[in-house]
């Protein structure tokens, strides 16, 4: 019986109606604080995971995971592409020619990176074909000098499909009349939109046209690679370069967009830390609850000690009581947080429709819906952290209860 004493008495104290309503109120606020802290932390981390996933899918769907370039020009690129495709982590390869330049039309100028691509190979490494709002990649026919612009780039230039734009490249052409910048007129054949900054500084043209413009002959700029794990890009790129030899060089997405994703991860950690403080405050409210319960139950503790209860059993009673309060709050918080994480997009949509407002304007942000991506490993870490803080908050009051001396208490009863 004494072995089960902590559970029997501790759970009874949780269920019992207290004479001191203030103690009951503090217990309720502790439980609600834990519930809100856990629920909000799950929801916020899920939303940040959603933003991270959207950025990773959209931006890294357009930016190659890795690029392999040759210092002497890459001519026999088909055989090299097939060779690289045999590697375990490489799931796609496509040729490219990159050219930094400036588009000009009607007095408007805008710098951009022009990617020369092969439309038949591009879907192996890019999602550009899925985000065409006007025209198609197939319209990039060799010799027709067509170009596909990002939506923001087209808007800043004030052009649409069928309009003509002039591309100036930072290389000089020497003519009898003097030295002039190299330029070429293109026809806008399509517009894409991925909802990111790439829409403002990226354009696509046919790779043969760009080879002609860059005077590369039959050589290409290099190969773009798609990997099965983008976080293995650095190691895989280095391994490929080591195998191909010193005449090749490589780069990966971490050089161009690594800081963006590191910033997202840092923000996620800091927000998680700040919200964990809310859980800690709620958990340590249990300290005040249990201290008041110990003071209220001194006579009960003394009687239990006189019938054989050990100090360890007395500690167990109040640890069980505090943990029961905490676990109820944590369980409700997990249920509410998971439910909100799974339905937040629909909930926000309903609020926007009801109030006639829009929280995320697609013209300002790269998405129009609030993304949420629930990850159960985040939920498990939150539960373990809340559980640990709750357990720590029960130790001091339980220790005080174990130090109660029966003789000192019963003398005045």
């Amino acid at each position: 019986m004494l072995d089960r004493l902590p559970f029997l008495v501790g759970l009874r104290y949780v269920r019992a109606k207290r004479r001191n309503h203030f103690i009951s109120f503090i217990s309720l606020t502790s439980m609600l604080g834990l519930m809100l802290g856990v629920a909000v932390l799950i929801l916020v981390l899920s939303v940040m995971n959603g933003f991270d996933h959207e950025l990773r899918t959209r931006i890294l769907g357009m930016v190659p995971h890795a690029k392999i370039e040759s210092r002497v020009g890459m001519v026999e690129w088909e055989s090299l592409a097939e060779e690289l495709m045999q590697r375990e982590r490489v799931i796609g390869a496509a040729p490219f020619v990159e050219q930094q330049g400036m588009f000009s039309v009607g007095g408007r100028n805008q710098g951009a990176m022009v990617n020369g691509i092969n439309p038949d190979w591009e879907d192996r490494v890019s999602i550009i074909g899925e985000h065409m709002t006007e025209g198609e990649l197939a319209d990039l026919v060799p010799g027709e000098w067509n170009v596909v612009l990002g939506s923001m780039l087209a808007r800043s230039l004030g052009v649409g499909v069928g309009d003509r734009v002039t591309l100036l490249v930072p290389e000089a052409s020497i003519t009898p009349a003097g030295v002039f910048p190299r330029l070429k007129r293109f026809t806008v054949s399509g517009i894409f939109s991925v909802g990111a900054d790439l829409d403002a500084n990226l354009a696509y043209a046919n790779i043969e046209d760009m080879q002609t413009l860059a005077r590369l002959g039959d050589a290409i700029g290099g190969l773009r690679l798609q990997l099965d794990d983008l976080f293995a890009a650095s190691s895989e790129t280095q391994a490929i370069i080591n195998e191909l030899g010193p005449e090749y060089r490589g780069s990966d997405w971490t050089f161009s967009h690594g800081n963006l994703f590191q910033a997202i991860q840092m923000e996620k950690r800091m927000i998680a830390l700040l919200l964990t403080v809310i859980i800690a405050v709620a958990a340590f409210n249990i300290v005040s609850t249990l201290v008041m319960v110990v003071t209220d139950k001194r006579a009960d503790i003394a009687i239990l000690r006189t019938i054989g209860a050990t100090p360890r059993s007395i500690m167990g009673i109040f640890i069980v009581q505090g943990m029961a309060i905490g676990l109820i709050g944590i369980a409700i918080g997990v249920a509410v947080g998971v439910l909100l994480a799974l339905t937040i997009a629909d909930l926000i949509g309903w609020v926007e429709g009801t109030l006639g407002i829009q929280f995320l304007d697609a013209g300002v942000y790269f998405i129009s819906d609030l993304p949420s991506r629930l990850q159960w490993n985040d939920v498990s870490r939150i539960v373990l952290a809340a559980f640990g803080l709750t357990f720590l908050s029960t130790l001091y009051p339980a220790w005080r209860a174990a130090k109660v001396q029966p003789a000192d208490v019963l003398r005045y009863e």
Side-chain angles (χ1 to χ4, degrees), residues 164-279:
R164 305 270 288 176
V165 295
T166 301
L167 175 64
L168 291 84
V169 297
E171 295 180 12
S173 296
I174 301 176
T175 68
V179 178
F180 294 93
R182 192 180 307 170
L183 52 87
K184 183 63 182 179
R185 289 183 66 81
F186 285 81
T187 301
V188 179
S189 62
I191 294 175
F192 70 87
S193 176
V194 293
D197 59 348
L198 297 176
D199 292 342
N201 53 38
L202 189 60
Y204 290 91
N206 187 275
I207 190 169
E208 294 184 21
D209 293 341
M210 295 306 298
Q211 285 174 315
T212 301
L213 183 64
R215 298 177 179 175
L216 295 177
D218 294 331
I220 63 170
L223 291 173
R224 295 192 294 168
L225 304 180
Q226 187 81 358
L227 307 179
D228 61 350
D229 181 6
L230 62 92
F231 293 107
S234 295
S235 59
E236 185 68 12
T237 303
Q238 188 59 49
I240 292 174
I241 295 303
N242 291 339
E243 292 182 10
L244 293 179
E247 66 272 17
Y248 290 90
R249 61 177 182 268
S251 60
D252 59 84
W253 67 272
T254 59
F255 286 92
S256 57
H257 291 82
N259 290 338
L260 173 62
F261 291 91
Q262 290 175 3
I264 293 174
Q265 292 300 319
M266 179 62 71
E267 289 177 0
K268 181 180 176 181
R269 295 190 189 101
M270 294 305 299
I271 290 177
L273 178 62
L274 292 175
L275 292 177
T276 301
V277 173
I278 298 176
I279 297 177

Side-chain angles (χ1 to χ4, degrees), residues 23-37:
I23 297 177
S24 299
F25 175 74
I26 295 296
S27 300
L28 180 62
T29 56
S30 301
M31 192 180 300
L32 290 176
L34 277 171
M35 180 198 74
L36 290 175

Side-chain angles (χ1 to χ4, degrees), residues 377-397:
N377 57 342
D378 284 341
V379 176
S380 61
R381 284 196 290 264
I382 293 169
V383 170
L384 289 175
F387 183 86
L389 291 171
T390 301
F391 176 74
L392 290 175
S393 69
T394 65
L395 294 180
Y396 173 71

Side-chain angles (χ1 to χ4, degrees), residues 289-300:
T289 301
L290 294 182
V291 166
M292 288 186 288
V293 171
V294 168
T295 303
D296 190 53
K297 300 295 184 180
R298 284 170 59 87
D300 295 354

Side-chain angles (χ1 to χ4, degrees), residues 117-120 129 132 135-142 144 146 148 189 206:
I117 63 170
N118 186 322
D120 297 330
M132 295 293 297
E136 298 179 354
L137 284 183
D139 296 331
L140 298 178
V141 179
E144 294 192 2
N146 291 332
V148 172
S189 62
N206 187 275

Side-chain angles (χ1 to χ4, degrees), residues 7-69:
F7 291 97
L8 294 174
V9 178
L11 294 177
R12 182 179 178 182
Y13 281 172
V14 174
R15 297 192 305 267
K17 295 182 179 179
R18 308 187 191 284
R19 297 187 300 270
N20 191 330
H21 295 291
F22 184 68
I23 297 177
S24 299
F25 175 74
I26 295 296
S27 300
L28 180 62
T29 56
S30 301
M31 192 180 300
L32 290 176
L34 277 171
M35 180 198 74
L36 290 175
V38 169
V40 169
L41 187 51
I42 291 174
L43 176 61
V44 170
L45 290 185
S46 297
V47 171
M48 294 203 69
N49 288 334
F51 274 106
D52 178 71
H53 176 73
E54 288 292 325
L55 280 171
R56 187 178 303 171
T57 301
R58 293 174 185 242
I59 293 180
L60 293 185
M62 300 285 290
V63 175
H65 292 174
K67 293 193 297 185
I68 305 298
E69 300 172 275

